[in-house]
Amino acid sequence: GIGTNNPTEPLSIHASDPKIKLQDTDGTLQVGTIFQAGSILGIQSRNNTSHGQIKFQGYNGTTGLEFARFNASGNFGIGTTSPGGGKLVVHTVSGEYGLRLQDSSTHYFRVAHGGNTEIAGDLTLSAGALTVAGNATFNGSLEINHNPLILDTNPGATYGVSEALRIDDSAGTTDRALQI
């Protein structure tokens, strides 16, 4: 126990601003700190006079495997050691979903490697436009409030077909007519 005569854990630190400091002694002021300030647990990393990086990694007894990292700019990367280009960067390989947001039921939104996007549930656009460059699958309804739906396609050049819009009943019978 540090600051206590009655430790409740193998290492208990009791203070008004408790901290654990890890410092590289090579003279470059590379410092890592774990601290408790009020109701906030913080992890800090310093690289001399710059912000440091925070890495999350596993270890199997032989080698380390990086899972995720905050870089010095505050970008968070999963599957990459250099999360540039956005606050959240997820790198995947073929066959993996890079992002999946799911509620407590079966509704979800996910983005796959290669840019395919799938929504299981309803999609509602209240402002702005919907642009699909690639494949998008909606397993629910599409509702667009107060905006036009614009289909700008060039199916002949992209897919080698002459039609731009089809409503398919997926029952193996003839396609249904477009009703407006």
Side-chain angles (χ1 to χ4, degrees):
I2 300 173
T4 180
N5 292 327
N6 188 18
T8 57
E9 300 294 335
L11 175 61
S12 291
I13 301 173
H14 293 230
S16 62
D17 187 16
K19 294 180 182 171
I20 297 173
K21 181 178 180 179
L22 306 169
Q23 183 169 349
D24 190 331
T25 59
D26 66 0
T28 59
L29 283 177
Q30 294 170 329
V31 179
T33 307
I34 301 171
F35 64 91
Q36 180 72 37
S39 64
I40 298 172
L41 174 68
I43 301 173
Q44 290 180 177
S45 179
R46 175 180 174 180
N47 184 10
N48 197 2
T49 60
S50 299
H51 299 291
Q53 299 186 51
I54 298 173
K55 177 169 77 167
F56 300 90
Q57 147 177 333
Y59 183 68
N60 66 3
T62 306
T63 58
L65 175 62
E66 182 168 327
F67 300 135
R69 159 187 312 231
F70 283 101
N71 70 9
S73 298
N75 295 347
F76 186 67
I78 300 172
T80 177
T81 59
S82 302
K87 285 297 177 188
L88 173 62
V89 178
V90 180
H91 281 217
T92 61
V93 295
S94 182
E96 287 185 342
Y97 286 96
L99 176 66
R100 182 178 176 122
L101 305 172
Q102 183 166 344
D103 63 12
S104 60
S105 68
T106 59
H107 302 113
Y108 61 83
F109 167 85
R110 67 184 180 182
V111 179
H113 181 285
N116 292 339
T117 302
E118 184 177 310
I119 297 173
D122 297 337
L123 173 64
T124 301
L125 297 177
S126 295
L130 172 64
T131 302
V132 178
N135 295 326
T137 303
F138 301 101
N139 295 321
S141 65
L142 173 63
E143 181 178 328
I144 300 176
N145 296 328
H146 308 293
N147 287 295
L149 171 62
I150 300 170
L151 301 173
D152 184 2
T153 64
N154 185 354
T158 305
Y159 303 106
V161 297
S162 60
E163 61 186 9
L165 175 64
R166 176 191 292 197
I167 297 178
D168 193 334
D169 64 9
S170 298
T173 60
T174 61
D175 291 334
R176 297 177 189 219
L178 177 61
Q179 299 178 10
I180 298 177

